[in-house]
Amino acid sequence: MKKRSLRQSLRIYKPFTIGRIQEQLAYKWSFYLFIFSSMFSLLVGYYLWRAIYHSSSSEALNGFTQNDMIVYIFMSFITSNLVRVSVTRDIGNDVVEGTIAMNLVKPINYQVRLFFSSLGNVLFRFLMPGLPIWLVMSIVRYVNLGELPPSPVVIVSYLMSVCFSFGIMFLFDFCFGLLSFYTTYVWGLNLAKQAILGFLTGQLIPLSFFPEAIQRIFDFLPFASMNYIPVMIYLNKMPLERVIISMGIQVIWIIILYLIANYFWKRVTKRITVLGG
């Protein structure tokens, strides 16, 4: 088979990205519900932490002032939405419906197709609700506190880290989704995974609030790289050396998870059991 050029590959897989965006917009009530639930969860976190700081006698908790924590809540919400993927659900549906076999015989790479579909989710969530929330937050903080957004260097570093986080999250979710070849139904496991990741990635509470021994364990796991590191970069709470090291760790985890994903993908495709189709 002839190797495709990058331009040819983009032309082939770009429709999967566009299709996922169109899918998100096709059902307007689902879109409105997504926005409402997103804003509701964001406000719950905001008022919860606000109550915690008002009941505390200290102005800072674990190095976070109340203003720092407000920014952390909003940026953690934006970041977790940007890097969240639905690969486990997609693989699970393909296995249950039996369409996985058809996908494997098509002249496209199944993993790459999933990647470009997930990219559509990222672009959609960047435009809605990510960018509007960030703009409103930045305007409100400037009007009320006279605080400008971070420097362009910090924002570029944050966006680079988010790209790495997306790669890690995609590969991790792909590996998790391969469980559907063994269990054939991963809906419950996927819900449990999302709840655990919300805790381990620092989405619900900054990882610096954990005991130091547990923080050291997190240093050897990929979860901090999925959300916590980009947000801390945005807050400018990392010196330059630490930013470079953290991004290096993210790249290493992408390589490790890529190798693991390829290994298990080769194994599971040898034992496909088609349940439908």
Side-chain angles (χ1 to χ4, degrees):
M1 183 185 257
K2 266 177 116 180
K3 251 190 174 177
R4 296 190 183 106
S5 67
L6 179 60
R7 181 177 295 180
Q8 288 174 323
S9 296
L10 288 175
R11 189 170 64 249
I12 292 169
Y13 293 104
K14 186 172 69 172
F16 293 105
T17 301
I18 297 172
R20 185 54 62 92
I21 295 173
Q22 291 172 337
E23 179 186 323
Q24 298 281 354
L25 293 170
Y27 304 99
K28 63 178 182 180
W29 287 110
S30 296
F31 172 76
Y32 295 148
L33 184 61
F34 167 73
I35 297 298
F36 174 78
S37 60
S38 297
M39 296 306 301
F40 181 77
S41 62
L42 179 59
L43 291 174
V44 167
Y46 169 76
Y47 283 108
L48 175 62
W49 279 105
R50 191 176 172 187
I52 291 172
Y53 274 90
H54 283 177
S55 63
S56 173
S57 57
S58 176
E59 290 186 1
L61 299 174
N62 290 83
F64 284 82
T65 64
Q66 183 174 342
N67 285 332
D68 288 338
M69 185 55 72
I70 289 172
V71 177
Y72 183 92
I73 293 166
F74 279 83
M75 292 309 301
S76 181
F77 172 81
I78 292 171
T79 304
S80 62
N81 264 287
L82 284 177
V83 304
R84 190 171 75 238
V85 295
S86 58
V87 178
T88 294
R89 185 198 68 188
D90 293 340
I91 297 176
N93 288 342
D94 286 340
V95 171
V96 170
E97 295 169 5
T99 55
I100 184 69
M102 291 299 298
N103 277 289
L104 292 179
V105 298
K106 289 178 180 177
I108 59 171
N109 187 299
Y110 182 66
Q111 296 152 292
V112 177
R113 194 212 82 179
L114 289 174
F115 177 82
F116 275 85
S117 294
S118 299
L119 197 59
N121 282 335
V122 174
L123 295 175
F124 175 77
R125 289 173 183 153
F126 175 77
L127 296 173
M128 186 63 68
L131 188 59
I133 289 176
W134 180 80
L135 288 172
V136 171
M137 179 191 73
S138 300
I139 292 170
V140 169
R141 292 186 67 76
Y142 177 74
V143 171
N144 292 340
L145 303 173
E147 183 181 289
L148 292 170
S151 67
V153 173
V154 172
I155 291 178
V156 170
S157 299
Y158 163 77
L159 292 175
M160 285 178 61
S161 184
V162 166
C163 290
F164 295 145
S165 297
F166 169 69
I168 293 170
M169 183 66 83
F170 171 81
L171 291 167
F172 178 85
D173 212 52
F174 180 82
C175 292
F176 192 89
L178 296 182
L179 288 174
S180 59
F181 284 86
Y182 298 91
T183 65
T184 68
Y185 191 68
V186 292
W187 184 79
L189 288 173
N190 193 35
L191 287 180
K193 178 209 70 180
Q194 290 174 355
I196 293 171
L197 284 182
F199 187 71
L200 295 178
T201 60
Q203 181 184 347
L204 300 178
I205 179 173
L207 299 184
S208 59
F209 278 65
F210 288 92
E212 190 173 338
I214 295 179
Q215 290 184 48
R216 288 177 182 172
I217 295 174
F218 281 135
D219 289 339
F220 294 96
L221 298 174
F223 305 115
S225 295
M226 295 175 179
N227 181 74
Y228 181 70
I229 286 175
V231 177
M232 293 298 283
I233 290 174
Y234 182 89
L235 286 169
N236 206 17
K237 284 188 172 290
M238 284 185 177
L240 180 60
E241 288 182 7
R242 180 61 184 168
V243 170
I244 295 172
I245 292 172
S246 296
M247 285 190 180
I249 291 173
Q250 287 181 302
V251 172
I252 290 171
W253 271 113
I254 288 175
I255 296 171
I256 292 172
L257 289 172
Y258 176 78
L259 294 174
I260 292 173
N262 275 349
Y263 172 76
F264 282 107
W265 175 247
K266 289 176 182 177
R267 292 196 55 152
V268 298
T269 49
K270 293 178 181 178
R271 62 180 308 278
I272 293 177
T273 301
V274 178
L275 301 179

